Amino acid sequence: YVGRSFFSGKNIRVLIGEVEALARQQGNHFGNATSSGKLVYSPLLQFYLTPAYNTLRDLQGTTDTPGKEVSFPVEKVMFSKNDDIIDAAILAKQHGPLHLVLAYQAAKSVMLRDMDNALKYTNLYMEHFETNVSNMKYGSIWSIFYEALITFHFMRQTGEEHYQVRGESALLKMREWSRHSDWNFKNKLLLIEAEYYYTRKEFDKAAVCYEASIKSAQEHKFKPDEAIANELAGIFFFQRENYLTSCMFFLQSIQCYKTWGANAAARRVEDSMGDKFDSDLIQACQTEIASKLFADVSIETSSKKHHLDDQGVVTTTTT
């Protein structure tokens, strides 16, 4: 439930509260010494809730030690850091939680543009699960999604062909899976295709796919995907020296991250904009976005007519 909620874009603040409540419940039953003096730990708390909680807090921008400001029972786990949990899961051959923690780490690293660590985590994923990804599991969707974004990025950065091969392999898997659910896969496939075309220097096709991916993510309510797609579109148009369009996409990415509750990611994008654009351009783009939002609300409101029916109840018709 927690993993699905995170990747589907449930508000981070709300999800943190749910994770804390479940963690406290688990902590009440585990972490106490037995008659032999040996501590008993909850696998759910250690391998599933702790890494999810760490990821949520990092994206929210809360970096204090868990337990200081909120009631997460950090004293009831053996390993409190996600990298340590990954090592423990590998050693214990806990493939289920390992699969999920690597997906969390890859996603967080991409959202914070820590691309070297993103590569590390997707490499670990491919090392342990590459032979099994043909059988689609829920977690595989996100691991393959980020594998594509990460490897196409490094193909552009390094020119090393093996990254292109990996990105294209992930693209083929996403195309295959998209046949099963347009709702779940369309925006992801379009964003991978945008990165693919960008890498191949087919810039017109890339531009179309970025915008289509953003629209699909909006329609299907995948707020994290919408944020990432806007930022990647901003990077693309900045490299194409279309600074006005780039600025607009970056601002939309910030708003998506804030709406989702990923304030650390939003602040990072804001900081990066200060290095890319002058304040006048940013202000002009902010005004343009605000005007568009106001116009959209006005159009929606003006298209509706309110009247009383025969029973005196207010009804609405759209014209």
Side-chain angles (χ1 to χ4, degrees), residues 47-48 89 93-102 129 137:
F47 287 110
Y48 290 94
K93 297 183 179 180
Q94 292 281 344
H95 297 126
L98 175 62
H99 194 286
L100 191 57
V101 181
L102 290 173
F129 299 104
K137 301 175 183 177

mmCIF file of all heavy atoms in Angstrom, residues 47-48 89 93-102 129 137:
data_model
loop_
_atom_site.group_PDB
_atom_site.id
_atom_site.type_symbol
_atom_site.label_atom_id
_atom_site.label_comp_id
_atom_site.label_asym_id
_atom_site.label_seq_id
_atom_site.Cartn_x
_atom_site.Cartn_y
_atom_site.Cartn_z
ATOM 1 N N PHE A 47 12.169 -3.404 6.917
ATOM 2 C CA PHE A 47 12.460 -3.491 5.494
ATOM 3 C C PHE A 47 11.478 -2.740 4.592
ATOM 4 O O PHE A 47 11.785 -2.508 3.426
ATOM 5 C CB PHE A 47 12.527 -4.964 5.057
ATOM 6 C CG PHE A 47 13.764 -5.677 5.538
ATOM 7 C CD1 PHE A 47 13.682 -6.651 6.517
ATOM 8 C CD2 PHE A 47 15.015 -5.358 5.026
ATOM 9 C CE1 PHE A 47 14.819 -7.299 6.969
ATOM 10 C CE2 PHE A 47 16.157 -6.001 5.466
ATOM 11 C CZ PHE A 47 16.059 -6.980 6.450
ATOM 12 N N TYR A 48 10.309 -2.392 5.112
ATOM 13 C CA TYR A 48 9.322 -1.721 4.264
ATOM 14 C C TYR A 48 9.002 -0.302 4.736
ATOM 15 O O TYR A 48 9.043 0.652 3.939
ATOM 16 C CB TYR A 48 8.031 -2.546 4.188
ATOM 17 C CG TYR A 48 8.179 -3.819 3.398
ATOM 18 C CD1 TYR A 48 8.477 -5.017 4.021
ATOM 19 C CD2 TYR A 48 8.029 -3.819 2.009
ATOM 20 C CE1 TYR A 48 8.627 -6.192 3.297
ATOM 21 C CE2 TYR A 48 8.168 -4.989 1.271
ATOM 22 C CZ TYR A 48 8.469 -6.175 1.917
ATOM 23 O OH TYR A 48 8.629 -7.325 1.199
ATOM 24 N N ALA A 89 19.315 -6.321 3.187
ATOM 25 C CA ALA A 89 18.384 -7.084 2.359
ATOM 26 C C ALA A 89 19.128 -7.997 1.386
ATOM 27 O O ALA A 89 18.711 -9.134 1.132
ATOM 28 C CB ALA A 89 17.468 -6.129 1.596
ATOM 29 N N LYS A 93 18.984 -11.977 1.538
ATOM 30 C CA LYS A 93 18.248 -12.404 0.349
ATOM 31 C C LYS A 93 16.762 -12.057 0.454
ATOM 32 O O LYS A 93 15.895 -12.830 0.080
ATOM 33 C CB LYS A 93 18.442 -13.903 0.098
ATOM 34 C CG LYS A 93 19.900 -14.278 -0.191
ATOM 35 C CD LYS A 93 20.058 -15.760 -0.510
ATOM 36 C CE LYS A 93 21.524 -16.076 -0.822
ATOM 37 N NZ LYS A 93 21.735 -17.513 -1.133
ATOM 38 N N GLN A 94 16.509 -10.867 0.971
ATOM 39 C CA GLN A 94 15.145 -10.342 1.066
ATOM 40 C C GLN A 94 14.829 -9.590 -0.230
ATOM 41 O O GLN A 94 14.923 -8.369 -0.323
ATOM 42 C CB GLN A 94 15.026 -9.411 2.281
ATOM 43 C CG GLN A 94 15.139 -10.103 3.611
ATOM 44 C CD GLN A 94 13.845 -10.800 3.998
ATOM 45 O OE1 GLN A 94 12.778 -10.532 3.430
ATOM 46 N NE2 GLN A 94 13.926 -11.709 4.945
ATOM 47 N N HIS A 95 14.460 -10.331 -1.265
ATOM 48 C CA HIS A 95 14.330 -9.747 -2.601
ATOM 49 C C HIS A 95 13.141 -8.797 -2.722
ATOM 50 O O HIS A 95 13.212 -7.808 -3.452
ATOM 51 C CB HIS A 95 14.223 -10.862 -3.645
ATOM 52 C CG HIS A 95 15.447 -11.722 -3.706
ATOM 53 N ND1 HIS A 95 15.413 -13.091 -3.574
ATOM 54 C CD2 HIS A 95 16.751 -11.397 -3.851
ATOM 55 C CE1 HIS A 95 16.636 -13.577 -3.660
ATOM 56 N NE2 HIS A 95 17.470 -12.576 -3.813
ATOM 57 N N GLY A 96 12.056 -9.085 -2.020
ATOM 58 C CA GLY A 96 10.894 -8.202 -2.089
ATOM 59 C C GLY A 96 11.194 -6.792 -1.630
ATOM 60 O O GLY A 96 11.008 -5.826 -2.387
ATOM 61 N N PRO A 97 11.663 -6.627 -0.394
ATOM 62 C CA PRO A 97 11.985 -5.267 0.055
ATOM 63 C C PRO A 97 13.151 -4.645 -0.693
ATOM 64 O O PRO A 97 13.168 -3.435 -0.904
ATOM 65 C CB PRO A 97 12.323 -5.450 1.539
ATOM 66 C CG PRO A 97 12.587 -6.900 1.722
ATOM 67 C CD PRO A 97 11.743 -7.605 0.711
ATOM 68 N N LEU A 98 14.134 -5.464 -1.105
ATOM 69 C CA LEU A 98 15.257 -4.919 -1.869
ATOM 70 C C LEU A 98 14.750 -4.273 -3.154
ATOM 71 O O LEU A 98 15.173 -3.157 -3.518
ATOM 72 C CB LEU A 98 16.256 -6.031 -2.201
ATOM 73 C CG LEU A 98 17.432 -5.623 -3.104
ATOM 74 C CD1 LEU A 98 18.284 -4.544 -2.435
ATOM 75 C CD2 LEU A 98 18.279 -6.848 -3.451
ATOM 76 N N HIS A 99 13.839 -4.942 -3.824
ATOM 77 C CA HIS A 99 13.238 -4.429 -5.057
ATOM 78 C C HIS A 99 12.632 -3.045 -4.815
ATOM 79 O O HIS A 99 12.845 -2.099 -5.583
ATOM 80 C CB HIS A 99 12.162 -5.424 -5.507
ATOM 81 C CG HIS A 99 11.667 -5.240 -6.890
ATOM 82 N ND1 HIS A 99 10.823 -4.211 -7.254
ATOM 83 C CD2 HIS A 99 11.885 -5.958 -8.021
ATOM 84 C CE1 HIS A 99 10.532 -4.317 -8.548
ATOM 85 N NE2 HIS A 99 11.175 -5.361 -9.030
ATOM 86 N N LEU A 100 11.897 -2.911 -3.716
ATOM 87 C CA LEU A 100 11.181 -1.672 -3.425
ATOM 88 C C LEU A 100 12.127 -0.558 -2.978
ATOM 89 O O LEU A 100 11.994 0.593 -3.407
ATOM 90 C CB LEU A 100 10.118 -1.928 -2.360
ATOM 91 C CG LEU A 100 9.101 -0.813 -2.117
ATOM 92 C CD1 LEU A 100 8.365 -0.455 -3.402
ATOM 93 C CD2 LEU A 100 8.107 -1.234 -1.043
ATOM 94 N N VAL A 101 13.093 -0.893 -2.110
ATOM 95 C CA VAL A 101 14.003 0.143 -1.619
ATOM 96 C C VAL A 101 14.837 0.717 -2.762
ATOM 97 O O VAL A 101 15.078 1.930 -2.822
ATOM 98 C CB VAL A 101 14.935 -0.409 -0.510
ATOM 99 C CG1 VAL A 101 15.846 0.703 0.000
ATOM 100 C CG2 VAL A 101 14.143 -0.973 0.644
ATOM 101 N N LEU A 102 15.278 -0.130 -3.687
ATOM 102 C CA LEU A 102 16.041 0.369 -4.824
ATOM 103 C C LEU A 102 15.192 1.291 -5.692
ATOM 104 O O LEU A 102 15.691 2.290 -6.225
ATOM 105 C CB LEU A 102 16.579 -0.806 -5.650
ATOM 106 C CG LEU A 102 17.695 -1.620 -4.991
ATOM 107 C CD1 LEU A 102 18.031 -2.847 -5.833
ATOM 108 C CD2 LEU A 102 18.954 -0.769 -4.773
ATOM 109 N N PHE A 129 17.950 -8.025 -10.476
ATOM 110 C CA PHE A 129 16.619 -8.352 -10.989
ATOM 111 C C PHE A 129 16.517 -8.363 -12.507
ATOM 112 O O PHE A 129 15.432 -8.571 -13.047
ATOM 113 C CB PHE A 129 15.581 -7.362 -10.435
ATOM 114 C CG PHE A 129 15.478 -7.390 -8.941
ATOM 115 C CD1 PHE A 129 16.049 -6.383 -8.173
ATOM 116 C CD2 PHE A 129 14.831 -8.420 -8.299
ATOM 117 C CE1 PHE A 129 15.961 -6.397 -6.801
ATOM 118 C CE2 PHE A 129 14.734 -8.460 -6.918
ATOM 119 C CZ PHE A 129 15.306 -7.438 -6.154
ATOM 120 N N LYS A 137 5.886 -6.860 -12.453
ATOM 121 C CA LYS A 137 5.396 -6.683 -11.105
ATOM 122 C C LYS A 137 5.196 -5.188 -10.910
ATOM 123 O O LYS A 137 5.755 -4.373 -11.644
ATOM 124 C CB LYS A 137 6.400 -7.222 -10.086
ATOM 125 C CG LYS A 137 6.722 -8.700 -10.258
ATOM 126 C CD LYS A 137 7.809 -9.137 -9.300
ATOM 127 C CE LYS A 137 8.194 -10.590 -9.524
ATOM 128 N NZ LYS A 137 9.309 -11.015 -8.653
#
